[in-house]
Amino acid sequence: MPESIRIGDYVRSPAASGLDATGYAKIGEFELSDFLTRWDALHDDALQVLPERIHPTAQIHPTAIIGEDVIIGPGVRVHEFSTVRKRSVLAAGASVGFGCEVAHSFVGENTVLGHQVGIGHSIIGADAHLSANLVIAAISLWNYDMRVPVKEIVLHGPGDEPPYHCTTPQFGGLIGDHVQTGSMITLGPGVAVGRYSAIAASVCMGSTMVPAASVVRSSSPEVTIEPRRI
């Protein structure tokens, strides 16, 4: 397990989204845990310097809800009954399908979110395609009170190496450029998926690192039931 995760090894910085004067223009240069720690301040600084929070070429359906702290780039489309909120960024050309929720997330250029996709506290690369009914969870189920999360999100690689610590109790995933997914998928909290990977339908996966150009499939029908330790 690497001691550090460079965002640029997964996600390229936006080039055509009007974010040049903001920290988002260099998102690829950040170490992941450092970015997560500084994210709120970086976003607030971006809001101060951008001449327009929502680009005039963006197409937002009248039934969509857009938070007052959201940044939307040129050519973005947000479809019916979707919500984008809580310091999110939709980079140029991104498309948010019907009935989605995007919260505190960065969505890269020309990325497509299919219908009823929910992502929280996540970084999505460019030219990715996340199909319908995908969720990226951001809070560990193992918190005693999920309204007040305290359990740090960690990432595990293969073998017995120490986990990577994200230094935050809220992190969904780092999804690389050109990643494609099937439908009915649950990811996170805490996944890192390398560029050009594909995740097949019905996968449920968290706290995991996936190398670039991988295929992830779900093949085990087994369900286990055991006592919960609190």
Side-chain angles (χ1 to χ4, degrees):
M1 175 63 61
E3 294 184 0
S4 68
I5 295 176
R6 182 175 171 271
I7 292 177
D9 291 338
Y10 292 78
V11 169
R12 73 170 187 257
S13 299
S17 298
L19 298 170
D20 302 39
T22 76
Y24 288 113
K26 298 182 178 180
I27 191 172
E29 299 178 13
F30 279 91
E31 199 278 331
L32 177 60
S33 63
D34 181 46
F35 178 80
L36 296 176
T37 300
R38 299 170 57 184
W39 196 347
D40 285 353
L42 183 149
H43 189 90
D44 291 344
D45 288 345
L47 289 173
Q48 295 298 316
V49 301
L50 285 173
E52 49 195 6
R53 187 173 60 84
I54 299 177
H55 196 274
T57 62
Q59 300 179 48
I60 300 172
H61 194 273
T63 61
I65 299 172
I66 306 298
E68 295 181 355
D69 54 3
V70 169
I71 297 170
I72 295 181
V76 167
R77 299 184 67 186
V78 181
H79 291 267
E80 297 93 330
F81 304 108
S82 287
T83 299
V84 185
R85 62 187 182 90
K86 203 175 180 181
R87 295 187 172 98
S88 288
V89 175
L90 304 180
S95 177
V96 177
F98 172 94
C100 294
E101 181 175 12
V102 179
H104 206 303
S105 294
F106 176 88
V107 179
E109 293 177 344
N110 302 312
T111 280
V112 174
L113 306 184
H115 301 328
Q116 297 179 320
V117 169
I119 61 175
H121 291 262
S122 295
I123 303 166
I124 315 297
D127 298 296
H129 193 289
L130 309 185
S131 294
N133 295 292
L134 176 143
V135 172
I136 304 179
I139 298 173
S140 172
L141 175 63
W142 309 117
N143 283 284
Y144 180 73
D145 184 348
M146 294 182 70
R147 296 169 298 181
V148 188
V150 296
K151 183 175 176 60
E152 183 187 20
I153 305 302
V154 298
L155 292 170
H156 294 276
D160 298 324
E161 298 89 349
Y164 173 84
H165 290 266
C166 295
T167 69
T168 174
Q170 297 187 68
F171 174 57
L174 174 61
I175 309 299
D177 302 328
H178 300 280
V179 166
Q180 295 177 257
T181 74
S183 61
M184 304 298 291
I185 290 172
T186 301
L187 302 177
V191 295
V193 181
R195 288 185 171 101
Y196 292 99
S197 290
I199 304 176
S202 302
V203 165
C204 181
M205 177 178 67
S207 188
T208 303
M209 295 186 69
V210 176
S214 296
V215 176
V216 181
R217 295 187 176 93
S218 178
S219 59
S220 175
E222 296 181 5
V223 174
T224 61
I225 301 175
E226 58 187 24
R228 181 178 181 184
R229 293 189 292 268
I230 297 178

